[in-house]
């Protein structure tokens, strides 16, 4: 089997929504991946911030195998131990009061918007949702209505009741706030938008503004959550508690699962029948998520993310001083963006050739979201490869000019 053959077949059958790289991976362990031609890669993308405990963590594999042999699915008409265990743990680590488990990020955001509107309506308010320019909340109709216009093109009419304001701009929000506004949704650290952290003062003021006007504050922590930034959630770095928080990506250690959580105030407006899901939080997904969270606790992976992230950021800033191509290094823990003054795609491709998987986002940002348990040695190897790519890139630029 060859990488290229499978790519050709994939292109024949799959909707052309993805511009896939002609690489077929068949095995993973920790931060290592192997393609079908047995070439080894170091994964600094982790399935887009999903494999936070690495590929095929033995404890997660075991939990899935054992659960699969016992019971894969019941329905939410009944209780399951894994789901109860996961709900209890999510409440404990988030400081919020109630959970609803979904199958994906977009579904978590949809649920968050629904319960925020339900709360607002119970207070006699409208259902308008304020979101941020440059944000990303998913690809369903309501979530593209909150997001960047490029994702809305050709899919109109858009659901109504959504407005966008610039990120990190409190005055822009103050201007929009009235009795029609139900909620504000934002990522504490914008992910797809290019790893852009919210300003701490801005988040605190936003919390105060929402309290003052009884507007629901929703944090989308789908990318920034589950230990990635060195805390369980990025909100913990800021010390700001939202009314609703969405999760997915890293939650299941690779299994598709998401969740939204809310405080008592919001949950009091929810009644039997207000929301539902067939698969959400089924024993398979819930046991994988529970095992994943336990690994993060048992192996101190939040601390690891913090320490390795700080170290990596310092090293990258060292490279920034040597290579003017690098404009800025941003982010927290192991959620880092290297802002370049050229498109990041070419750099990403050169790194891939050298055996390192990264990602280009927002045009000129190279995104690093590796497993939290990636070895220091793997990061050192990456830094060496990155430096060589930067030298190569500079030579190419000089050759042209
Ligand atoms: C990835 C992502 C989503 C969408 O998650 P899906 O599982 O792809 O639906 C939503 N919000 C943020 C912040 C994300 O990073």
């Amino acid at each position: 089997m060859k990488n290229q053959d499978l790519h050709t077949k994939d292109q024949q059958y799959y909707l052309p929504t993805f511009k896939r790289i002609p690489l077929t991976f068949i095995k993973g362990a920790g931060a290592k991946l192997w393609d079908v031609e047995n070439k080894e890669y170091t994964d600094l993308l982790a399935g887009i911030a999903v494999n936070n405990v690495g590929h095929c963590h033995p404890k997660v594999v075991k939990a899935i195998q054992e659960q699969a042999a016992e019971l894969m699915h019941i329905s939410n008409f009944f209780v399951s131990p894994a789901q109860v265990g996961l709900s209890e743990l999510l409440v404990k680590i988030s400081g919020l009061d109630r959970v609803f488990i979904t199958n994906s990020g977009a579904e978590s955001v949809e649920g968050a918007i629904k319960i925020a509107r339900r709360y607002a309506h119970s207070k006699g308010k409208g259902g308008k949702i304020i979101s941020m320019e440059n944000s990303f909340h998913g690809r369903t109709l309501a979530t593209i209505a909150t997001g960047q216009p490029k994702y809305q093109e050709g899919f109109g009419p858009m659901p109504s009741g959504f407005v966008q304001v610039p990120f990190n701009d409190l005055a822009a929000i103050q201007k929009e706030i009235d009795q029609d506004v139900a909620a504000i949704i934002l990522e504490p650290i914008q992910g797809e938008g290019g790893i852009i952290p919210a300003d701490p003062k801005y988040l605190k003021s936003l919390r105060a503004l929402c309290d003052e006007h009884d507007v629901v504050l929703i944090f989308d922590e789908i990318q920034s959550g589950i230990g990635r930034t060195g805390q369980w959630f990025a909100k913990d770095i800021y010390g700001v508690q939202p009314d609703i928080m969405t999760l997915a990506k890293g939650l299941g250690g690779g299994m598709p699962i998401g969740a939204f959580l809310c405080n008592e105030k919001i949950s009091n407006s929810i009644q039997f029948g207000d929301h539902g899901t067939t698969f959400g939080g089924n024993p398979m997904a819930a046991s994988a998520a529970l095992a994943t969270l336990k690994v993060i606790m048992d192996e101190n992976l939040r601390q690891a993310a913090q320490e390795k992230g700080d170290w990596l950021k310092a090293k990258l800033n060292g490279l920034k001083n040597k290579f003017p191509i690098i404009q800025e290094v941003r982010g927290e823990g192991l959620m880092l963006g290297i802002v370049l003054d050229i498109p990041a795609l070419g750099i990403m491709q050169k790194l891939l050739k050298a055996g390192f998987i990264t990602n280009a986002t927002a045009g000129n940002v190279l995104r690093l979201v590796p497993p939290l348990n990636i070895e220091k040695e793997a990061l050192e190897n990456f830094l060496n490869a990155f430096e060589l790519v930067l030298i190569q890139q500079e030579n190419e630029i000089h050759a042209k000019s």
Side-chain angles (χ1 to χ4, degrees):
M1 227 182 348
K2 290 274 189 218
N3 283 312
Q4 193 57 59
D5 301 342
L6 281 162
H7 186 247
T8 306
K9 221 171 184 175
D10 174 71
Q11 281 185 311
Q12 182 181 350
Y13 294 112
Y14 206 87
L15 260 187
T17 46
F18 301 108
K19 197 169 172 188
R20 290 198 219 268
I21 296 162
L23 271 182
T24 305
F25 288 109
I26 50 166
K27 198 169 167 49
K32 292 268 178 259
L33 279 172
W34 290 271
D35 75 7
V36 73
E37 292 168 34
N38 216 21
K39 179 174 169 181
E40 184 180 291
Y41 291 81
T42 299
D43 188 5
L44 293 108
L45 179 59
I48 321 182
V50 166
N51 303 103
N52 288 15
V53 299
H55 293 280
C56 301
H57 191 289
K59 295 233 171 97
V60 178
V61 170
K62 185 160 174 269
I64 292 170
Q65 284 173 336
E66 286 180 359
Q67 187 64 61
E70 290 286 338
L71 180 68
M72 291 192 218
H73 178 82
I74 39 168
S75 74
N76 281 307
F77 293 146
F78 304 101
V79 183
S80 96
Q83 193 186 96
V84 174
L86 177 61
S87 305
E88 185 180 19
L89 186 53
L90 282 174
V91 162
K92 197 171 138 208
I93 64 177
S94 69
L96 290 162
D97 300 308
R98 297 273 183 169
V99 186
F100 187 96
I101 303 177
T102 70
N103 306 289
S104 69
E107 226 183 285
S108 304
V109 175
E110 292 267 350
I113 291 170
K114 275 182 74 180
I115 62 167
R117 280 184 169 172
R118 174 59 111 217
Y119 172 79
H121 292 159
S122 77
K123 298 278 165 181
K125 299 173 77 169
K128 202 193 277 182
I129 308 291
I130 298 177
S131 64
M132 303 298 146
E133 287 171 9
N134 201 43
S135 67
F136 184 80
H137 299 294
R139 295 297 206 103
T140 60
L141 280 167
T143 56
I144 61 173
T146 64
Q148 301 173 37
K150 67 177 178 189
Y151 294 127
Q152 300 173 2
E153 235 166 82
F155 296 113
M158 281 295 108
S160 58
F162 294 90
V163 306
Q164 286 211 327
V165 297
F167 187 50
N168 273 332
D169 182 346
L170 192 69
I173 289 193
Q174 280 165 326
K175 255 194 268 168
E176 288 292 336
I177 298 268
D178 58 24
Q179 273 300 104
D180 263 353
V181 174
I184 297 169
I185 180 166
L186 77 162
E187 302 151 86
I189 301 175
Q190 288 191 331
E192 305 301 303
I195 314 291
I196 306 175
D199 179 49
K201 262 207 222 129
Y202 168 77
L203 268 202
K204 287 208 167 77
S205 310
L206 212 49
R207 178 67 272 179
L209 191 71
C210 286
D211 288 339
E212 187 188 335
H213 296 275
D214 200 9
V215 167
V216 178
L217 184 59
I218 307 171
F219 283 176
D220 181 346
E221 294 247 23
I222 288 166
Q223 191 160 151
S224 55
I226 317 296
R228 173 132 312 272
T229 63
Q231 300 284 339
W232 274 119
F233 311 103
K235 72 177 178 65
D236 303 326
I237 297 175
Y238 290 93
V240 178
Q241 187 74 334
D243 299 297
I244 302 176
M245 177 170 73
T246 57
L247 299 174
K249 292 207 162 91
L251 178 58
M255 278 290 261
I257 182 170
F260 57 93
L261 291 102
C262 67
N263 59 21
E264 205 63 50
K265 179 180 89 175
I266 305 295
S267 70
N268 284 339
S269 66
I270 302 301
Q271 279 156 15
F272 167 68
D274 279 349
H275 197 52
T277 170
T278 300
F279 285 125
N282 85 0
M284 283 303 291
S287 58
L290 196 53
T292 300
L293 296 180
K294 282 186 179 151
V295 167
I296 293 174
M297 291 190 286
D298 294 346
E299 298 183 11
N300 294 321
L301 292 186
R302 282 168 289 156
Q303 197 186 335
Q306 175 82 68
E307 285 170 6
K308 282 180 240 177
D310 287 350
W311 177 84
L312 181 59
K313 198 175 184 185
K315 290 282 181 188
L316 290 169
N317 272 316
L319 288 177
K320 180 187 143 200
N321 296 335
K322 271 167 83 176
F323 297 93
I325 297 174
I326 302 179
Q327 294 188 318
E328 193 188 351
V329 183
R330 332 185 259 240
E332 295 286 342
L334 285 173
M335 182 176 182
L336 295 175
I338 305 164
V339 187
L340 306 172
D341 70 357
I342 53 167
L345 187 68
I347 300 286
M348 180 277 269
Q349 286 164 338
K350 285 190 172 88
L351 281 166
L352 191 61
K353 251 194 202 127
F356 295 90
I357 301 168
T358 61
N359 168 251
T361 193
N364 65 331
V365 180
L366 193 73
R367 172 168 48 175
L368 305 180
V369 282
L372 310 183
N373 55 2
I374 189 169
E375 302 84 1
K376 191 99 171 261
E377 195 193 336
L379 292 175
E380 274 164 2
N381 293 340
F382 163 74
L383 284 164
N384 291 334
F386 186 40
E387 180 156 12
L388 289 179
V389 165
L390 290 168
I391 291 168
Q392 192 190 345
Q393 190 67 40
E394 284 210 325
N395 289 340
E396 280 174 27
I397 291 169
H398 289 151
K400 264 187 222 153
S401 59

